[in-house]
Amino acid sequence: MAIRQIRINDDPILKKTSRKVEVFDERLDILLDDMKDTLYKAEGCGLAAVQVGVLKRVVLVDVGDGLLELINPEIIEATGEQYEVEGCLSLPGKSGITKRPMCVKVKAQNREGRWCQYKGEGLKARAFCHEIDHLDGHLYTERLAPEEAINQIKLENDID
Ligand code: ZN
């Protein structure tokens, strides 16, 4: 187990598309274990392999209810919408309000290669979308909500 270096800011790898995992071997186990150590050290709620410089479709999500290891994940259903503040371990010190679905259903393989389904709502839905975006070279800064939506949220919060 080891902490890996998180790629940040303008590192060109963050824009690259990750490849499907075909082989479920010991190397994958090591990657997943290292990613877990790296995620917890950085105190994030998700990490994609590309963020530690590995172009494989592997992500971790932990929003406080346990660690999920998602290999070759795909969003198979998305409903509703939410506007919330989002940040990224690869863009330290920054955050922005993004538009994301409120609920998503994801299918992914586990480290043994077996397909499983997961549901996420609220923060977990955001984490799934954010991490899966990383696999296609997308950062949350491409999903920022338009100004009008942000002003509307501020207005609603003021009333409450
Ligand atoms: Zn990120």
Side-chain angles (χ1 to χ4, degrees):
M1 307 256 266
I3 308 284
R4 300 206 187 184
Q5 198 195 334
I6 296 179
R7 307 299 189 92
I8 58 166
N9 298 331
D10 296 327
D11 192 315
I13 201 165
L14 294 171
K15 301 272 182 194
K16 292 193 175 161
T17 301
S18 297
R19 285 179 297 271
K20 197 169 179 238
V21 173
E22 311 273 5
V23 184
F24 293 77
D25 60 0
E26 198 189 328
R27 282 186 66 191
L28 179 65
D29 292 337
I30 292 168
L31 172 65
L32 285 161
D33 293 342
D34 286 357
M35 283 175 63
K36 183 178 93 179
D37 287 353
T38 308
L39 174 65
Y40 289 150
K41 175 88 194 307
E43 299 180 343
C45 59
L47 186 71
V50 58
Q51 292 180 277
V52 295
V54 178
L55 286 169
K56 286 184 177 172
R57 301 188 81 81
V58 173
V59 311
L60 299 183
V61 167
D62 187 347
V63 294
D65 61 351
L67 183 72
L68 297 177
E69 299 177 340
L70 309 179
I71 296 149
N72 300 323
E74 285 171 48
I75 293 168
I76 52 174
E77 203 179 289
T79 53
E81 58 183 39
Q82 57 173 322
Y83 296 87
E84 291 292 342
V85 176
E86 203 164 313
C88 178
L89 293 174
S90 291
L91 300 173
K94 291 180 191 154
S95 63
I97 295 177
T98 56
K99 181 185 177 184
R100 298 285 192 186
M102 181 55 90
C103 299
V104 295
K105 209 184 271 182
V106 172
K107 70 165 189 175
Q109 285 167 281
N110 64 11
R111 66 164 75 197
E112 280 85 43
R114 188 164 47 85
W115 285 96
C116 307
Q117 280 196 20
Y118 305 90
K119 266 191 203 165
E121 201 184 321
L123 174 60
K124 203 171 197 173
R126 288 212 304 284
F128 282 147
C129 294
H130 179 115
E131 299 311 327
I132 292 171
D133 266 356
H134 271 301
L135 303 181
D136 294 308
H138 298 300
L139 296 169
Y140 79 85
T141 44
E142 297 165 51
R143 310 279 186 217
L144 292 175
E147 198 74 33
E148 312 88 79
I150 293 169
N151 289 335
Q152 186 62 35
I153 293 162
K154 283 183 188 151
L155 208 65
E156 283 164 14
N157 289 342
D158 284 347
I159 292 163
D160 293 338

